[in-house]
Amino acid sequence: MLMSFVYSIICLNVKKRTRLMLKDFFLNEVQNGIKEAIAVNKLGSMGLNDEYTLVIEKPKNPDFGDFAVNVSSLARLAKIAPPMIANAIVEFLPQTTYTVSVVGGFINFKIKDEILADIVAEILEKGVNYGKNQVKNKEKILLEYVSANPTGPFHIGHGRWAAMGSALANLLRFYGHDVFEEFYINDAGSQIQKLGNSLRIRIQQELGLKVDFPTDEIERKNYYPGEYLIPTAKNYLASHQGVNKDNVEGIPLDELCEFAKAEMEAKQQALLKDFRVHFDKFYSELDLHKSGKVENGVKKLTEQGYIYEQDGAMWFKSTVFGDDQDRVIKKADGSNTYLTADIAYHADKFDRGFDRLIDIWGADHHGYIARVKASLEALGYDSDKFEVLLGQLVNLVVDGNEVRMGKRKNMVTLDDLIEEVGIDATRYWMCMRNIDVTLDFDIELAKRSTDENPVFYVQYAHARVCSILRNAVSNGKLNNEPAPMTETELKEIENNFDKSLISKTADSAKALIMKLEEFKSVIALSAENRTVYTICRYVQELAQEFHSFYNANRVIGEDKDLMKARLALMIAIKTVLKNALDILAVSAPEKM
RNA sequence: GCGUCUGUAGCUCAGCUGGAUAGAGCAUCUGCCUUCUAAGCAGAGGGUCGCGCGUUCGAAUCGCGCCAGGCGUACCA
C-alpha cells in the first residue's frame, strides 16, 4: 500500500503527449513552472538550456499530498537553496485541478476530486481497452520461448518459460506491439537418435524381451530411461501389428525416431494449449537444415572471412565481436554444431521482417548470448535488436525442502505440477518472480486456497466485486425485497456514467482510484522492461486496496447517488483486474 | 581462474535509471462477522539492506575490492 514509485525524466527530452498519465501531468506542470521562473530570473543562475532530472514519487505519508516532485536536484544549477527553488516554481503553477504545498525541496501536490472522477470515467469508457496501445514506437517482435527438445515431457523449468513467455507476449501485444510467438523445435540433433534407441528398448520390453538400458557410465548417455516412452511403445505396437520379438531389431532407427518424435511433439503441444500458451509457429530445426539456410549461413560467414580451419574443424571467429573464444561451427566429423543452426535460425528471423527478436533462455545457456550476437553482427544484422531474457531456474519446494531437479527419481513434469496445483496457480506462481531470481515453487503453498496464496487473494477480489454487481440488481434474499437497482440503471452506469457523482465517494475511495490509475504506467513500465512479475505485484496491490475499501464501506445502500458512484468504482475495479489477469492468462472468476 | 545472476525482517521476495522515517506477503501476537463472499479487514512486534572503501548535499540503489551461494565456462543439445 505504501509502495512509492519514482519516475524521472530528463527534461530536455520531454515529449508532449495528448493523454497524460497523472505522473507525467505533474512533471509537465513543474517543468513549465521552471521555464517560467527562469524566464523572469527567479531561479538563480539556472538557464533554459540546463539539463536536469526531475523525480516524481508518491509520498508515503499522505499528509504530504498525492504526488511529490523533488526539486533539490536543481540546487547545483541554480545555486540557491532547495526550498527557495520550490517556492519560486510554485508561483507559476496554475493549480487548477490540484493544490500545492512546499516542504523542504519538495513540491507536494494534492489532487481535486475531478481528477478522480476522470480516472473512473475513462476506465468505464474504455473497458477492455483501458491501458492498451500506449506504445510509441510500435515494433514487429518475434518472441521465442520454451523451445524444448521433442524428446520427452516438459519439466517444471519449461513451465516457467511457458507461463512467462506467454504472459510477456500478451503484455507486449496489450501495450501495442505486433508480437509473433515461436517455438523452435530441436528435432535435428543426436538426441533424436537417443530417443529412437530408447523407444526400441521400450518396445522390446513390451514384447517380453529381457532388455534393459545400459548401466555403463558412457553407454547410458545414449538413452532416455524415463518411463514416459512406455505408452509410446504400446502405441507403436498397436499401430504396427506385424512387429514381434524376432523382427524388432530390424525396424529402421529413423522410423522409431520419427514415431517417438511425433508423439512427443503432439504431447508437448497439447499441454501448451491446455496451459493457455499459444504459438504462432513451431519452427522445426530439421526444416531449417532442409531449406539450405544453415549451409548458406556458413557460406556467408566464410565469404565475410570469419571462418577458419583448425584441427580438422571449421571455426567461427566470434572473438572479433567480443566473444571469449572462437566457436566450432563444423566438427571434424563434418557435422554441424548446435550453434550453426542457431545462427541460421536467428538470421532467418530477421529475414522474415521482424524489427526485434526477444528470446527467453534458461540461465544455463548464458554462454550462448555472445556467440549468437557475434554471428548476427558478422552477418550484418543489428545485434542490439536481439534481446535475450535470461531466466534463473526453478526449485521445487516440498515440505519446506528444496527438491533438486535432474535427479531422475525426483523428476517432476509440468503435467504433474499442473494436475497437482491447477493451471491458474501454476501460471501465477511461475510469473510472480523476477526472471533474475531462482524461483522457489512451493507446491503446498500454491495448492492452498487461502490468503497464503496470492493468486486466490486476487481472484477472490474479482469474485467479490462481481458478487456486489450481481446483488445490486437482484431481489433481497429473505423476504424478496425489490432489487436496489434495475439492470437498466446498472447499464447506464457502465455506458453513460455521470462522473460528477464520484465526489460522493472521493474521500473513501481515493487510494483505490489512485491505484487504478497506476495501471497504465504499470503496463508501460512492465512492457518496456519486459517484466511480468510487476503485473502480479500490481494486481495484488489493487486487490488489497479493494478488500480494504470493501471492509470500510458499503456499496449497496440507501443513498442512490452514492451507490451509483461506488458501483461505477466496482465496474472500474473489475475491468482493471480482468485486463491484468487476462495478460497473465489467469482466470478471473465471477464466483468462488 | 573467467563470465553471469543472487545476497534486504524468522521465511519468500519488492525497492536497486540515487532522494522525505527501508516496504509487501506469509509466519507470530491483538482486535473485527445480526449488514454486499471472514478465501476478508484493522493494528502490533520484527532489519548492522553480505562486508569494506570510494563518488555525492544525499547510497539498499552508482564505482572498486572482498566474502558466500546458483548457473555457465564442449568439436552436447
Side-chain angles (χ1 to χ4, degrees):
Chain A
M1 191 161 90
L2 295 175
M3 189 192 86
S4 74
F5 55 84
V6 174
Y7 184 88
S8 64
I9 48 174
I10 302 294
C11 284
L12 283 179
N13 301 322
V14 169
K15 287 168 189 149
K16 285 213 167 180
R17 296 176 203 169
T18 45
R19 285 197 197 84
L20 294 170
M21 285 183 275
L22 275 181
K23 288 181 295 186
D24 295 335
F25 171 74
F26 287 116
L27 281 171
N28 271 354
E29 291 287 286
V30 173
Q31 200 204 352
N32 291 336
I34 291 170
K35 280 183 190 156
E36 293 188 41
I38 290 174
V40 295
N41 284 321
K42 293 264 186 164
L43 281 184
S45 52
M46 252 192 102
L48 279 172
N49 292 323
D50 284 344
E51 194 166 333
Y52 55 91
T53 302
L54 285 180
V55 176
I56 184 164
E57 62 187 294
K58 201 151 111 185
K60 281 169 288 183
N61 183 342
D63 294 341
F64 289 140
D66 302 306
F67 290 95
V69 175
N70 189 338
V71 294
S72 308
S73 54
L74 308 189
R76 203 173 311 167
L77 296 164
K79 300 215 167 68
I80 49 178
M84 289 179 68
I85 296 172
N87 280 308
I89 296 168
V90 161
E91 276 185 50
F92 297 96
L93 298 181
Q95 303 198 39
T96 44
T97 54
Y98 57 89
T99 57
V100 298
S101 61
V102 171
V103 179
F106 287 91
I107 299 173
N108 297 319
F109 293 89
K110 212 171 193 89
I111 62 175
K112 292 183 178 171
D113 291 354
E114 54 188 289
I115 286 187
L116 299 176
D118 283 343
I119 294 165
V120 176
E122 188 191 343
I123 299 170
L124 294 185
E125 186 199 319
K126 297 207 176 129
V128 293
N129 292 319
Y130 180 67
K132 254 189 200 169
N133 298 324
Q134 299 182 60
V135 74
K136 280 174 233 72
N137 303 310
K138 181 174 175 167
E139 291 184 310
K140 262 187 84 177
I141 297 175
L142 173 55
L143 177 63
E144 183 211 327
Y145 59 103
V146 185
S147 295
N149 297 336
T151 54
F154 292 131
H155 53 73
I156 57 170
H158 293 123
R160 188 174 192 189
W161 317 140
M164 291 190 78
S166 53
L168 181 60
N170 294 338
L171 170 64
L172 294 173
R173 210 172 275 130
F174 189 86
Y175 188 48
H177 287 298
D178 227 327
V179 184
F180 191 84
E181 293 167 82
E182 193 157 285
F183 181 119
Y184 181 61
I185 308 173
N186 293 136
D187 55 1
S190 59
Q191 75 275 13
I192 297 296
Q193 315 286 309
K194 287 162 65 175
L195 185 70
N197 286 327
S198 306
L199 178 59
R200 192 191 305 279
I201 289 182
R202 288 303 184 191
I203 292 172
Q204 288 169 327
Q205 289 174 339
E206 283 302 310
L207 290 169
L209 291 166
K210 283 206 176 240
V211 187
D212 212 340
F213 293 99
T215 48
D216 175 78
E217 270 305 315
I218 297 166
E219 262 304 294
R220 69 196 293 185
K221 286 183 179 159
N222 293 323
Y223 295 88
Y224 293 109
E227 294 182 352
Y228 56 85
L229 281 175
I230 295 172
T232 307
K234 291 189 165 125
N235 290 342
Y236 184 86
L237 288 171
S239 55
H240 296 76
Q241 298 289 345
V243 174
N244 57 46
K245 290 180 186 178
D246 301 320
N247 63 14
V248 61
E249 276 293 346
I251 306 170
L253 181 60
D254 279 358
E255 186 185 321
L256 293 174
C257 291
E258 197 50 46
F259 187 89
K261 192 177 82 179
E263 189 159 316
M264 292 303 124
E265 280 181 26
K267 282 187 175 170
Q268 288 185 348
Q269 293 180 16
L271 176 61
L272 289 169
K273 202 176 165 200
D274 287 347
F275 198 45
R276 304 173 193 148
V277 179
H278 165 81
F279 283 102
D280 296 297
K281 184 176 173 69
F282 289 88
Y283 195 113
S284 159
E285 184 187 347
L286 211 53
D287 290 349
L288 185 70
H289 282 98
K290 286 180 190 158
S291 72
K293 285 171 183 163
V294 178
E295 285 310 314
N296 195 32
V298 175
K299 200 177 133 206
K300 274 190 189 162
L301 286 175
T302 310
E303 285 165 3
Q304 300 291 322
Y306 295 122
I307 300 291
Y308 63 92
E309 203 176 321
Q310 188 182 306
D311 304 330
M314 284 170 74
W315 296 70
F316 166 45
K317 288 190 201 171
S318 56
T319 46
V320 173
F321 305 95
D323 197 3
D324 313 342
Q325 53 177 285
D326 291 341
R327 306 292 169 178
V328 169
I329 219 169
K330 212 171 254 304
K331 303 180 214 169
D333 67 6
S335 63
N336 292 316
T337 60
Y338 179 74
L339 177 66
T340 322
D342 235 13
I343 290 172
Y345 176 44
H346 285 85
D348 184 58
K349 288 179 180 180
F350 277 125
D351 291 343
R352 282 187 276 156
F354 291 100
D355 302 319
R356 182 171 296 276
L357 314 183
I358 303 179
D359 284 13
I360 299 181
W361 292 355
D364 51 337
H365 288 72
H366 156 254
Y368 260 77
I369 299 175
R371 59 195 87 164
V372 174
K373 279 198 180 259
S375 72
L376 288 171
E377 280 184 42
L379 292 171
Y381 302 95
D382 180 358
S383 68
D384 287 340
K385 302 281 187 188
F386 170 55
E387 294 174 31
V388 179
L389 307 181
L390 216 57
Q392 298 298 314
L393 306 176
V394 180
N395 283 327
L396 211 50
V397 177
V398 178
D399 299 329
N401 300 310
E402 275 184 17
V403 176
R404 304 291 307 200
M405 299 307 296
K407 295 245 165 111
R408 210 156 294 278
K409 269 198 167 173
N410 293 327
M411 164 83 172
V412 175
T413 66
L414 183 58
D415 307 67
D416 294 340
L417 184 69
I418 291 172
E419 192 179 332
E420 189 81 7
V421 309
I423 291 172
D424 282 340
T426 305
R427 285 196 61 97
Y428 196 92
W429 276 71
M430 289 299 188
C431 287
M432 71 193 270
R433 297 289 179 229
N434 191 328
I435 197 166
D436 285 341
V437 310
T438 308
L439 177 69
D440 280 341
F441 197 111
D442 189 325
I443 291 196
E444 294 308 313
L445 213 54
K447 260 161 71 175
R448 252 173 258 179
S449 20
T450 70
D451 52 3
E452 294 159 89
N453 193 349
V455 65
F456 281 94
Y457 182 82
V458 172
Q459 290 182 313
Y460 181 52
H462 186 267
R464 253 183 165 179
V465 169
C466 291
S467 172
I468 294 170
L469 293 172
R470 275 194 307 273
N471 290 338
V473 292
S474 23
N475 294 332
K477 284 171 194 160
L478 291 177
N479 33 15
N480 210 31
E481 297 154 343
M485 174 154 277
T486 65
E487 297 271 4
T488 323
E489 284 174 307
L490 187 60
K491 275 280 165 230
E492 176 81 5
I493 294 174
E494 198 166 349
N495 299 327
N496 191 19
F497 177 59
D498 173 7
K499 65 184 183 184
S500 69
L501 293 178
I502 284 295
S503 62
K504 301 277 287 183
T505 191
D507 287 342
S508 53
K510 191 170 189 175
L512 184 49
I513 295 172
M514 298 289 277
K515 187 54 75 176
L516 287 169
E517 199 273 341
E518 236 178 273
F519 180 64
K520 284 202 274 188
S521 50
V522 167
I523 291 296
L525 274 175
S526 302
E528 275 157 24
N529 295 332
R530 283 81 163 101
T531 58
V532 293
Y533 76 93
T534 40
I535 304 288
C536 293
R537 295 191 74 82
Y538 171 74
V539 95
Q540 280 171 248
E541 286 162 11
L542 178 56
Q544 184 183 12
E545 288 292 354
F546 161 71
H547 285 308
S548 180
F549 177 84
Y550 175 94
N551 260 71
N553 307 281
R554 274 194 66 80
V555 173
I556 297 167
E558 298 297 313
D559 183 339
K560 200 144 190 180
D561 282 348
L562 179 61
M563 173 164 53
K564 280 184 181 172
R566 289 188 171 160
L567 282 171
L569 195 55
M570 292 305 115
I571 296 170
I573 295 162
K574 183 185 168 185
T575 301
V576 174
L577 278 177
K578 178 79 165 69
N579 288 359
L581 286 172
D582 279 351
I583 288 169
L584 299 171
V586 169
S587 72
E590 305 259 322
K591 280 183 186 174
M592 283 177 79

